Amino acid sequence: MAKLGKLMMLEWKKLKQKTVIGELVIYWGILMFLPIFFIKMISTDFGESYSTIIQLMLSIQMGFVLFGASLINQVVIDEYKNKTISLSFGYPISRKKLVTAKVLFISLFVFGCTIVSFFLTGITTYLLDQIFHIIDGQPTIADLTTYFSKMIGHSFMITLISLIPLYFFGVWKRATIPAVLCALFLMQFQNFYYLLNIDLNLDMVNVGLCLLGAASVYLSIKLVDKVGDL
């Protein structure tokens, strides 16, 4: 575990840190104000109660699926394209362990940033409502319990879904644009079947997407020796 921790720290040092932090600030800034904007400009139905807007706040965090694709691009795809990954593969460490470190780094980063986003969005939405009185009523203990309990589960779910492009578009094809397009589709997938009036169980859909993410991680680590040659 200590060696994996060092490898993960190395991944952070190799990132364009100012770019990543700037991207994060943009994500957090947009998601913090998006629920209130959505109520005011698109649908007032979400302002009927805090229990209603909580569902909106949970769904908009899917934006971090796209952030996961950005990390896959920098941590995996760019290293293959720039041939810098050959230096990593030259270490006296198995390729599987190196890819495991990359996966853990991306996962923990996405999970942590999503958790922070949940806090920022919740606090900002509440404070703006106290000023402008956009949402009917006040948050109850049940609303707060629901929000914070689902925050953990949804952050974990978003992290797994963000890893779906890892194997096919990252380790195997090393294709930046398709990886981003895949993330955009996954991010909006729930909205697609709402618009098409497809009767699907949302929980089952999310479970299926999480399983795809887990499969992508497994294949990336399992087959890196076969598809990971430069």
Side-chain angles (χ1 to χ4, degrees), residues 39 59 143 170 176:
I39 292 173
S59 64
D143 291 331
T176 300

Side-chain angles (χ1 to χ4, degrees), residues 86-97:
S86 60
L87 297 175
S88 299
F89 285 166
Y91 297 157
I93 304 171
S94 70
R95 290 187 179 187
K96 291 181 179 180
K97 184 166 288 188

